[in-house]
């Protein structure tokens, strides 16, 4: 018999032992059982004349244990998975039993042999040896191979918003540095303050801060104003000679806004006081007459405005002259250049009025280009008469100490330079710039300086206070004076 036939016969015998298919189906009730009272195991083989389908009596259920492990092992052996041994050979039968049928009471229990260690499932990391294994021998186990070396991590591509490769981020050019000066070389002095001005313990209220900043918004206009000590004064510890005054008189649509900028004479002691006095006195004169001035501006009465403002300016300079005599100095030194803007808070009024005396600048920024609006002088410093104490005017009824009486001579002119006046109608998008000489000079003399300011201030929205100051303090070599800038944007 071939090996395959022998193996199939062994499997048939195993199935008969497992499910009782070895001829015990007939039982004693079929006419083939032993006599009653025979001891177990004494049942003889069936007689010769017994029917063909008769068999030994039913021996009942097997006494072998029936567990889950045994069932799993039985199924695995049945399907013939690689690495599982062949089922054990059938138990030998006595020679006197032709068909291996034992007497009913003497038949040993039909037990399924417990699975040997070789029949248990192999661990996951061990690979069983394929092919049949002889009965009773443990299959050889393959030694697990060492784990492969860890592979390189797979680079993941960022897909979120704003994500970009690291190499691209490194290769991106750095942001351009902020422009702090114009020209081939930086200015001689440092950009930041170096020394503080000297202080008088008895006059601490006369101290002037390094920088002043102001802003407002009324109707269709936005106001930004900044005054800063120049590079030269910061280095030497000199006080800022530029003075800035912003004031509102009245309320609502009838309110009037005054912005005054004054610059004291260079290299003159107390020049900052003269600038402050000039702003204060012109502010007081405008405040006392703001109702009529606001009405003239809304009605665009330019002739009346010019005559009235010239009179107020002359009286203010007369007070400066009187203060110089009080201090015992020459009046031509205790003076200041004065430039003012009058702005109506009425949103329907776009007339902007400028007036003043002395050096400085008045410019308009429209469509990214500057226009110099500096007016032509109409007179040459004609002295104005002193206020008459008997007339009710905006000047004090009694002149101050030391104020000379009588006509004013050419030795003491009321104002040092011609009076300037200009009224303009602003269009939406315009920016009007009033400034002291420290900013007007580089704006007129340095094209790159003017282009930078035009680029920064030609924006749909007016800049904030800090950006406005940063632009106004742009440095240029050879221009180290104090700077004051007042800009008005039209919505």
């Amino acid at each position: 018999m071939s090996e395959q036939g022998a193996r199939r016969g062994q499997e048939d015998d195993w199935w008969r032992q497992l499910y009782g298919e070895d001829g015990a189906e007939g039982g004693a009730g079929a006419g083939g059982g032993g006599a009653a009272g025979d001891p177990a195991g004494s049942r003889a083989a069936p007689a010769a004349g017994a029917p063909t389908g008769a068999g030994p009596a039913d021996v009942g259920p097997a006494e072998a244990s029936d567990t889950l492990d045994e069932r799993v092992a039985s199924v695995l052996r049945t399907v013939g998975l690689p690495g599982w041994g062949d089922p054990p050979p059938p138990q030998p039968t006595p020679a006197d039993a032709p068909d291996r049928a034992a007497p009913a009471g003497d038949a040993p229990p039909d037990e399924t042999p417990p699975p040997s260690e070789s029949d248990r499932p192999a661990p996951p990391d061990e690979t069983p040896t394929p092919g049949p294994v002889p009965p009773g021998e443990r299959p050889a186990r393959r030694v697990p191979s060492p784990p492969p070396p860890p592979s390189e991590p797979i680079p993941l591509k960022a897909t979120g918003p704003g994500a970009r490769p690291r190499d691209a981020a490194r290769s991106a050019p750095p942001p351009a540095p902020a422009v702090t000066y114009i020209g081939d070389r930086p200015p001689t002095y440092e950009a930041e303050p170096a020394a503080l001005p000297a202080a008088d313990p008895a006059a601490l209220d006369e101290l002037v801060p390094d920088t002043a900043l102001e802003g407002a918004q009324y109707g269709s206009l936005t106001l930004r104003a900044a005054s800063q000590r120049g590079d030269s004064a910061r280095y030497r510890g000199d006080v800022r000679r530029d003075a800035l005054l912003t004031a509102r008189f009245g309320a609502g649509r009838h309110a009037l806004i005054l912005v005054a900028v004054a610059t004291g004479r260079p290299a003159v002691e107390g020049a900052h006081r003269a600038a402050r006095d000039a702003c204060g006195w012109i502010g007081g004169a405008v405040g006392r007459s703001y109702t009529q001035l606001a009405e003239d501006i809304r009605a665009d009465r330019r002739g009346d405005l010019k005559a009235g403002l010239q009179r107020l300016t002359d009286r203010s300079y007369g007070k400066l002259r009187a203060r110089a005599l009080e201090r015992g100095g020459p009046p031509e030194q205790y003076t200041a250049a004065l430039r003012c803007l009058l702005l109506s808070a009425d949103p329907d009024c776009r007339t902007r009025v400028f007036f003043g005396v002395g050096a400085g600048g008045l410019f308009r920024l429209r469509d990214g280009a500057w226009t110099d609006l500096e007016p032509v002088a109409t007179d040459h410093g004609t002295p104005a008469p002193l206020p008459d104490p008997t007339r009710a005017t905006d000047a004090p009824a009694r002149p101050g100490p030391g104020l000379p009486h009588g006509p004013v001579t050419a030795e003491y002119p009321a104002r040092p330079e011609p009076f300037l006046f200009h009224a303009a109608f602003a269009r939406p998008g315009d920016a009007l710039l009033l400034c002291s000489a420290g900013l007007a000079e580089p704006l007129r003399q340095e094209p790159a300086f003017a282009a930078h300011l035009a680029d920064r201030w030609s924006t749909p929205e007016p800049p904030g206070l800090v950006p406005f100051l940063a632009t106004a303090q742009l440095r240029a070599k050879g221009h180290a004076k104090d700077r004051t800038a007042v800009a008005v944007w039209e919505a």
Side-chain angles (χ1 to χ4, degrees):
M1 180 184 293
S2 65
E3 180 181 354
Q4 182 177 5
R7 182 172 179 178
R8 183 178 299 275
Q10 293 176 1
E11 291 179 358
D12 294 343
D13 294 341
W14 179 80
W15 280 107
R16 292 191 187 95
Q17 293 179 11
L18 180 61
Y19 294 103
E21 296 177 356
D22 54 353
E25 302 284 348
D38 290 348
S42 62
R43 185 164 60 94
T52 307
D58 188 4
V59 296
E63 297 180 2
S65 61
D66 185 16
T67 63
L68 180 61
D69 292 341
E70 293 173 357
R71 292 189 179 187
V72 171
S74 173
V75 173
L76 292 176
R77 285 193 300 271
T78 302
V79 299
L81 289 179
W84 289 92
D86 292 336
Q91 297 293 333
T93 57
D96 55 347
D99 57 351
R100 297 176 54 251
D106 201 25
D110 186 9
E111 296 182 359
T112 301
S116 62
E117 187 176 356
S118 63
D119 297 333
R120 297 184 183 277
D125 57 346
E126 297 182 1
T127 306
T129 304
V133 179
E137 293 186 11
R138 183 176 180 178
R141 299 181 183 274
R142 182 178 299 174
V143 179
S145 59
S151 59
E152 293 294 331
I154 300 175
L156 300 178
K157 182 181 296 184
T159 59
R164 57 178 180 176
R166 184 173 299 178
D167 296 340
R170 290 178 179 175
S171 61
V179 178
T180 59
Y181 66 89
I182 295 297
D184 299 335
R185 296 179 299 168
T188 304
Y189 302 105
E190 295 293 333
E192 301 300 330
L196 291 171
D200 184 359
L204 294 179
D205 58 338
E206 294 186 359
L207 292 177
V208 181
D210 177 88
T211 304
L213 198 59
E214 189 62 271
Q217 184 174 359
Y218 288 95
S220 60
L221 64 87
T222 300
L223 173 67
R224 297 289 183 263
S227 183
Q228 180 177 280
R229 194 161 50 136
D231 293 346
S232 177
R234 285 179 164 183
Y235 177 77
R236 293 184 170 89
D238 296 337
V239 69
R240 174 166 54 91
R241 294 182 294 108
D242 276 8
L244 172 65
L245 171 68
T246 55
R248 173 180 60 86
F249 304 106
R253 300 172 63 93
H254 302 283
L256 183 66
I257 301 167
L258 167 69
V259 185
V261 176
T263 304
R265 290 289 180 90
V268 174
E269 184 180 359
H272 64 285
R273 300 188 188 96
R276 185 182 59 184
D277 289 344
C279 288
W281 285 330
I282 194 63
V286 170
R288 285 186 290 269
S289 305
Y290 86 90
T291 303
Q292 185 61 42
L293 290 172
E295 180 63 27
D296 290 342
I297 292 175
R298 288 195 297 270
D300 199 18
R301 303 188 187 103
R302 303 191 180 190
D304 295 342
L305 284 170
K306 180 180 179 181
L309 293 174
Q310 182 174 351
R311 184 172 62 252
L312 296 180
T313 303
D314 289 344
R315 289 172 179 172
S316 298
Y317 274 96
K319 293 181 179 180
L320 279 176
R321 184 182 68 250
R323 179 62 59 86
L325 295 177
E326 291 178 7
R327 300 174 61 89
E332 62 270 12
Q333 291 188 1
Y334 196 82
T335 187
L338 178 65
R339 291 180 165 251
C340 305
L341 269 181
L342 287 179
L343 309 170
S344 174
D346 189 346
D348 297 330
C349 179
R350 291 185 179 268
T351 300
R352 312 303 180 213
V353 176
F354 159 79
F355 68 97
V357 173
L362 179 66
F363 304 89
R364 181 183 62 203
L365 180 62
R366 177 179 292 175
D367 298 331
W370 289 107
T371 301
D372 194 340
L373 301 180
E374 186 73 10
V376 179
T378 58
D379 60 68
H380 300 281
T382 304
L386 291 173
D388 186 357
T390 62
R391 290 186 58 187
T393 63
D394 55 339
R398 187 169 64 89
L403 186 63
H405 296 275
V408 178
T409 64
E411 185 178 359
Y412 299 104
R415 44 186 163 81
E417 299 182 42
F419 175 76
L420 304 175
F421 176 86
H422 182 77
F425 182 81
R427 296 192 324 195
D430 286 355
L432 190 65
L433 176 64
L434 172 72
C435 57
S436 63
L439 185 63
E441 291 175 358
L443 198 58
R444 291 188 176 111
Q445 300 172 10
E446 304 290 342
F449 186 92
H452 182 80
L453 265 62
D455 179 69
R456 293 290 181 170
W457 289 344
S458 296
T459 55
E461 296 295 331
L465 291 177
V466 174
F468 175 76
L469 175 62
T471 303
Q473 65 185 1
L474 179 66
R475 305 167 69 217
K477 190 172 181 61
H479 302 279
K481 296 179 180 179
D482 296 349
R483 289 184 183 179
T484 302
V486 178
V488 179
W489 277 268
E490 303 292 339

